[in-house]
Amino acid sequence: MSDLKTLAESLVNLTVKDVNELATILKDEYGIEPAAATVVAAAGGGGEAAEEKTEFDVILKSAGASKLAIVKLVKDLTGAGLKDAKDMVDSAPTAIKEGIPKDAAEALKKQLEEAGAEVELK
């Protein structure tokens, strides 16, 4: 048990550089893709490098010319009711979805832009 505690203390005290090195070793030598590397880096402090943003907010800036199509699309994408979707579109700029992964945020942005909306990721 004391070995595990020592290991845990070592992991918590890693710098960002050490975490990146550990992630490379795990990936190259063991085939493990450490998804939690940024979490460990954030918990370990050592603000030597900027953390990569992993969660995004999709902000509807404007509905554009086809407001009805945007309302329907927002309704479908968010699962909100028709009135709630209309209220979101009417109160633009507003967050359509918050704290979602980058690929999902980009997909939502693409769909909304194709329908004529002006969208921003934050």
Side-chain angles (χ1 to χ4, degrees):
M1 186 68 170
S2 67
D3 289 338
L4 291 176
K5 184 166 176 65
T6 304
L7 176 62
E9 288 174 4
S10 296
L11 288 173
V12 169
N13 293 321
L14 290 176
T15 65
V16 174
K17 181 180 176 186
D18 292 338
V19 170
N20 287 332
E21 225 173 283
L22 177 61
T24 302
I25 291 168
L26 289 173
K27 182 178 177 188
D28 294 345
E29 293 183 21
Y30 300 99
I32 299 170
E33 189 74 39
T38 54
V39 173
V40 172
E48 296 172 6
E51 295 177 28
E52 185 176 339
K53 188 171 181 173
T54 58
E55 293 184 344
F56 294 83
D57 298 340
V58 179
I59 310 295
L60 177 68
K61 291 174 72 176
S62 164
S66 55
K67 183 178 169 184
L68 183 58
I70 300 302
V71 170
K72 288 180 180 179
L73 186 56
V74 167
K75 177 185 175 291
D76 292 340
L77 294 174
T78 62
L82 187 59
K83 181 178 180 346
D84 292 333
K86 182 182 180 303
D87 290 344
M88 278 191 247
V89 172
D90 287 342
S91 64
T94 187
I96 300 299
K97 284 214 174 187
E98 297 176 327
I100 60 174
K102 184 178 182 178
D103 56 339
E106 288 176 348
L108 283 175
K109 180 181 179 192
K110 182 180 178 188
Q111 287 179 316
L112 288 163
E113 286 177 340
E114 286 175 353
E118 186 179 339
V119 183
E120 174 184 27
L121 296 182
K122 285 191 178 182

